[in-house]
Amino acid sequence: MAQRKLGRGVAIVGAGMSPFGTFARMATRDLFVEAFLDMRGSVDKGLDPDDIEALYVGNYSSDLFEGQGHTAPLMADWVGLTPRPATRIEDACASSGVALREGIIAVASGLYDVVLVGGIEKMSNLPTGEVTDALATAGDALYEIPAGFTFPGFYAAMATAYMHRYGAQSEHLIQVTQKNHENGALNPKAQFGQRIADIMEGKKERAAAKGRPVPEWESEMAFFHDDRANPMIAAPLRLFDCSPISDGAAVLLLVSEEIAGQFTDEPIRVIGSGQASGRALHDRDTLTSIPAAQRAGQMAYEMADVTPDDIKLAEVHDCFTIAELIAIEDLGFFAPGDGYKATEDGMTARTAPRPVNTSGGLKSKGHPVGASGAGQTVEVFKQMRGLAGERQVAHDVDVALTHNVGGTGQTCAVHIYERGQA
Amino acid sequence: MITAADFYEALAEGTLLATRCADCDGLYIPPRSLCPACYGTELKVEELSGKGTVGAYTAVAITTTRMIEAGYGRDNPNITAVVDLAEGVRISALIHGDDITVGTPVVFDSEHSAEHVVFRKDDS
Ligand SMILES: [Zn+2]
């Protein structure tokens, strides 16, 4: 594949997000406003919204979730951007990772100097059954869904292939959950920002308060094996293998590198961007990796002229536990089949040289699908600038990566960032 | 042009329909009219043997409305698989019967296939 470069440098100078969670009284536009204000507060030298020239917003399906189509001009209006161009990007759960790429391309082209990129999703209005149906439409409605696949079902199938091929067990998968909840517990914006031990304690307390029998578990693994506490969703994946149903928004401010100094002395330069498409799961050569992710990663590494060893922190798409194991292999952090061993050995922990999902990942932080990609970039922005609070990693993060997957890998967007000097 | 309508019509009549590219010999199920490998447009209909093995599978407890209406759900999870067909291609299928794992031989269940592709354990 031919090596591609951006037409000119692009930097992120602001990043913010709403809390992720379920917010009955908030519509998508309210979450977007909250994320916009958070972003605005993050711009060191201030932002005059009049300078924003266009909006690219990722959104999977407000149509199905909220009965609201044509969301981009609506979002633009609610943050005061009308009549500037506003474009919605839909690539399932990779919608805002791809929106970021479109924003980068728009600035790199020279057409705009200042662009707003967002991600939005409001999923909690619908009962779980309808959310299951809505998410399933990211698969092939003619040939996959009729066979009975759901979104967790696809990843569950990949998990059986992975476990069979490499000898991983359910206990290995759930170690991703344990790690990501450890991290999410330090993230005030996380939907389930609690360690597993605290979740277990909470369940006991609630049972006691309601006068019900108080459950006892010998260990966290015993808790994960308990069908009541951790029911099967799509075998072998249980509830705690799955990211939650979430509402949320995230917003990024992109500018041409030449003017980045007007906004901050510490811009985050985008040095690599890759995106690839993929076929339905049954139309791929492999069931244990995601070819689109491998390709998007390779494109981003080549553009950035870095290797996996240069990455000091990564936010990867852990919509399910198995997805994180496959992600860290597809990105070249570990050899195929070694991802679960590396996780078991703590090589993706927050204290490791190359931590994965310090934000808590989609599992703990929440997965408002269209907002998740932009949300990953918010974490990278904070960690690279030393502003991640309690969960700030100890080492210097001068180069970082985000990996955002749509569907079961029919889309993947990978970005690589470097901390610059304005 | 061959479409999903043709595929499901043939399925209801007990046939697993694929197409093969006259130019590069590429085999496609679901059937296609344009070869994504060589861009050829001369694709001939071919019937598959219906023999294969389970490549990946799941038992879906929280399932779609469509599957719930077909009688599946938490107490009766639908077993769904990616089947590796003998011809070297794959298809998504509902599996009738349980006790399967990766590698289990399965066979096309033409009697129960109409709205969805059904395979069952191959005891032969
Ligand atoms: Zn061909």
Side-chain angles (χ1 to χ4, degrees), chain A residues 111-136:
Chain A
L111 185 62
Y112 305 125
D113 288 324
V114 182
V115 157
L116 198 66
V117 165
I120 48 172
E121 211 76 59
K122 162 81 190 177
M123 302 168 71
S124 73
N125 283 4
L126 294 184
T128 303
E130 288 178 48
V131 173
T132 301
D133 288 345
L135 289 175

Side-chain angles (χ1 to χ4, degrees), chain B residues 21 24 35 38:
Chain B
C21 177
C24 77
C35 175
C38 78

Side-chain angles (χ1 to χ4, degrees), chain B residues 20-26 28 34-43:
Chain B
R20 189 181 289 277
C21 177
D23 293 323
C24 77
D25 212 38
Y28 301 103
L34 189 154
C35 175
C38 78
Y39 310 108
T41 51
E42 201 189 325
L43 284 90

Side-chain angles (χ1 to χ4, degrees), chain A residues 31-90:
Chain A
L31 296 161
F32 188 70
V33 168
E34 204 168 344
F36 177 81
L37 293 175
D38 191 45
M39 176 282 296
R40 200 173 166 185
S42 76
V43 183
D44 296 334
K45 300 183 186 178
L47 164 69
D48 178 354
D50 280 351
D51 291 338
I52 299 169
E53 294 169 281
L55 166 68
Y56 294 85
V57 62
N59 172 228
Y60 169 47
S61 197
S62 53
D63 318 60
L64 295 173
F65 291 128
E66 267 188 315
Q68 174 68 64
H70 207 178
T71 45
L74 196 57
M75 296 309 121
D77 183 21
W78 282 71
V79 296
L81 294 184
T82 314
R84 282 156 276 185
T87 306
R88 168 177 167 181
I89 313 282
E90 192 272 298

Side-chain angles (χ1 to χ4, degrees), chain B residues 32-76:
Chain B
R32 299 172 183 239
S33 307
L34 189 154
C35 175
C38 78
Y39 310 108
T41 51
E42 201 189 325
L43 284 90
K44 300 233 159 60
V45 168
E46 196 166 305
E47 193 179 325
L48 297 186
S49 68
K51 289 193 175 298
T53 55
V54 172
Y57 73 102
T58 178
V60 185
I62 306 299
T63 196
T64 54
T65 303
R66 183 184 181 133
M67 284 291 124
I68 291 169
E69 284 167 358
Y72 295 102
R74 194 185 285 275
D75 300 323
N76 180 30

Side-chain angles (χ1 to χ4, degrees), chain A residues 282-294:
Chain A
H282 60 228
D283 261 340
R284 295 179 201 159
D285 295 334
T286 171
L287 300 172
T288 54
S289 60
I290 295 179
Q294 294 172 329

Side-chain angles (χ1 to χ4, degrees), chain B residues 87-108:
Chain B
E87 288 83 357
V89 286
R90 293 181 163 133
I91 185 82
S92 293
L94 189 63
I95 305 292
H96 279 185
D98 41 27
D99 194 24
I100 64 151
T101 185
V102 174
T104 301
V106 288
V107 62
F108 175 49

